[in-house]
Amino acid sequence: MRKISITPEIEKLVEKKYWKILHASEINQKILVDLALLRDEFSNARRIEINTGSSQNPNWGVSPSTALQYAEYIHEIQRDYQSGLLLTWQPTMFCDNIRQKDALVHHQIVNCAMRVDGHDRGTFANRLVKAMHYDDVRKAIVPPIYRELELKSCVYCNANYTISDENGEGYYDLDHWKPKSCYPFLCISFFNLQPSCPSCNRRKSASDIQFFGLWDDTGSKDLDVLKFKLDEASLVNYLVFLERDKLKVELVEAIPWSPTQQVIRNNTEQKFHIEARYAEHKDYTEEIVWKSKIYNPSMIQSLRDSKFSALIPKQADLERFILGTYSDPDDIHKRPLTRLAIDVAKQLGWM
């Protein structure tokens, strides 16, 4: 829903606590060994077959890529991993690297079942993800960084928590913006990883279509991609009848009529059913409407003038107290439903 700009501070954090910690860990040696073994296997292979059908209706044939092309694909991963580039590539760098890898082994076949010299070997994608020890990286390296960045809500729905605790445990699913089943070499690239709730991660699955990407490296000041809008007619009906069920929240593009955002909005709604899920939060929307009516400028000023102001002296904290969550759009990842609260409050002319 709202991107995070990759600032120099975030770059330094990723370099210091992702790249350097990973390279100094036991996981690093496992990655180096397993990638080398996998590359040797393909370097010495004579025949690669892939199944372009299904397990029920197989269609085995010689792979359009040679064994040496598979080996070169792995060699490029080894080179980029050891230099640290692979771990710190930013989103605008993904396309060039995808084209380079596709020239060797196209992403449409990396998830096909394969045979190497007549022996079943699963899929190339799964073998690479395993060799790169994604599961170990996800469990041991990522959570402390997400905790420092205060990423605490699903990037797709902003309705569920994604928590990392002080012991380094992560309580979330880790989604790949560019799916690892198509682009396995990006499976541990930090800026390809996004904390998500199990529901959104399961629904997105391996879809290789245009979705919201959390990280922005373009320097754009328009970081909002999707937002919520309270249907005006439903608000009028609610204010007349005071029936909560009349309230309706819609998912819309942050920039009206943006073709790119329209595609992302439609894909998001189709996969995640955001509007249907938020229809179950009408009580929360109703409370925002109440607050917009109760906390008028004079009421807010009276809070500032009271002894209460000594407890919460900052304007942003006062707004957080009233709204029940953060009021700055940059903070929407800190708590679920913050996107909804900010958008509806602004629409009502309150915040």
Side-chain angles (χ1 to χ4, degrees):
M1 306 234 188
R2 182 177 174 85
K3 290 177 172 287
I4 295 176
S5 182
I6 303 176
T7 62
E9 291 75 21
I10 289 178
E11 290 179 331
K12 290 178 182 177
L13 175 67
V14 172
E15 178 183 353
K16 179 180 178 181
K17 296 198 174 181
Y18 189 65
W19 170 19
K20 290 186 177 179
I21 287 180
L22 176 53
H23 274 251
S25 70
E26 293 181 358
I27 301 172
N28 177 62
Q29 189 59 34
K30 294 177 182 178
I31 292 173
L32 295 177
V33 169
D34 288 349
L35 283 177
L37 290 173
L38 192 60
R39 180 186 172 190
D40 287 346
E41 177 185 331
F42 283 97
S43 295
N44 296 320
R46 297 182 302 277
R47 181 181 176 86
I48 306 294
E49 300 169 278
I50 60 170
N51 177 16
T52 56
S54 64
S55 57
Q56 292 80 18
N57 297 293
N59 182 27
W60 288 97
V62 176
S63 172
S65 297
T66 67
L68 289 179
Q69 285 177 298
Y70 282 92
E72 179 59 24
Y73 188 114
I74 299 167
H75 173 66
E76 289 191 2
I77 293 174
Q78 290 175 301
R79 180 197 64 206
D80 293 333
Y81 170 74
Q82 288 180 291
S83 70
L85 292 174
L86 182 147
L87 299 173
T88 57
W89 279 330
Q90 297 183 11
T92 55
M93 303 173 187
F94 290 171
C95 288
D96 284 343
N97 285 286
I98 287 172
R99 281 193 290 269
Q100 291 172 11
K101 298 297 184 296
D102 276 357
L104 295 169
V105 184
H106 200 274
H107 68 267
Q108 291 179 338
I109 68 170
V110 296
N111 206 36
C112 294
M114 66 168 16
R115 292 173 180 163
V116 179
D117 293 337
H119 300 286
D120 290 336
R121 290 291 185 261
T123 72
F124 185 58
N126 285 345
R127 297 193 70 193
L128 266 175
V129 170
K130 184 177 180 181
M132 296 174 77
H133 287 263
Y134 160 71
D135 287 339
D136 292 332
V137 173
R138 179 245 184 273
K139 182 178 180 180
I141 310 296
V142 174
I145 304 174
Y146 280 0
R147 188 168 191 268
E148 187 161 344
L149 290 170
E150 296 188 276
L151 299 180
K152 298 180 181 179
S153 65
C154 175
V155 302
Y156 295 116
C157 69
N158 193 236
N160 295 311
Y161 273 110
T162 55
I163 294 293
S164 300
D165 68 22
E166 62 182 1
N167 298 314
E169 288 288 338
Y171 304 92
Y172 51 80
D173 282 359
L174 197 55
D175 181 63
H176 292 79
W177 180 48
K178 295 293 185 183
K180 63 182 185 296
S181 58
C182 296
Y183 314 105
F185 67 97
L186 292 174
C187 70
I188 57 174
S189 291
F190 184 83
F191 295 112
N192 191 43
L193 307 177
Q194 308 193 143
S196 70
C197 66
S199 175
C200 286
N201 189 43
R202 183 177 64 252
R203 289 175 180 275
K204 180 173 178 283
S205 188
S207 298
D208 188 22
I209 56 179
Q210 197 166 8
F211 278 109
F212 169 78
L214 177 63
W215 302 103
D216 179 84
D217 61 332
T218 66
S220 173
K221 296 191 181 300
D222 295 321
L223 297 174
D224 287 320
V225 178
L226 302 176
K227 65 179 185 178
F228 292 105
K229 180 182 178 182
L230 180 57
D231 179 74
E232 295 285 356
S234 77
L235 175 61
V236 171
N237 282 334
Y238 170 77
L239 293 175
V240 171
F241 299 104
L242 296 181
E243 295 176 5
R244 179 193 302 163
D245 286 345
K246 295 189 180 297
L247 291 171
K248 180 183 178 182
V249 169
E250 300 171 319
L251 182 69
V252 299
E253 306 87 25
I255 301 176
W257 310 115
S258 164
T260 299
Q261 291 187 357
Q262 282 183 335
V263 170
I264 293 174
R265 184 266 168 207
N266 292 338
N267 289 342
T268 298
E269 181 59 24
Q270 181 181 11
K271 280 288 183 180
F272 304 136
H273 304 162
I274 299 294
E275 290 185 358
R277 291 160 69 177
Y278 272 78
E280 302 305 312
H281 291 296
K282 289 182 178 179
D283 56 338
Y284 189 78
T285 305
E286 181 181 44
E287 290 167 14
I288 300 171
V289 175
W290 289 348
K291 291 173 182 178
S292 72
K293 300 300 180 182
I294 296 170
Y295 288 98
N296 54 40
S298 60
M299 174 69 79
I300 295 173
Q301 186 60 48
S302 69
L303 287 174
R304 290 198 189 101
D305 295 338
S306 69
K307 294 180 179 179
F308 178 81
S309 63
L311 178 64
I312 307 180
K314 295 181 181 178
Q315 175 66 18
D317 291 337
L318 179 60
E319 291 176 355
R320 177 157 63 101
F321 166 76
I322 297 171
L323 190 57
T325 189
Y326 296 90
S327 60
D328 187 334
D330 285 338
D331 294 330
I332 70 163
H333 300 290
K334 292 182 179 180
R335 187 177 296 175
L337 300 181
T338 300
R339 172 89 275 176
L340 172 67
I342 291 175
D343 292 341
V344 174
K346 285 186 175 180
Q347 184 181 342
L348 296 173
W350 176 42
M351 303 299 286

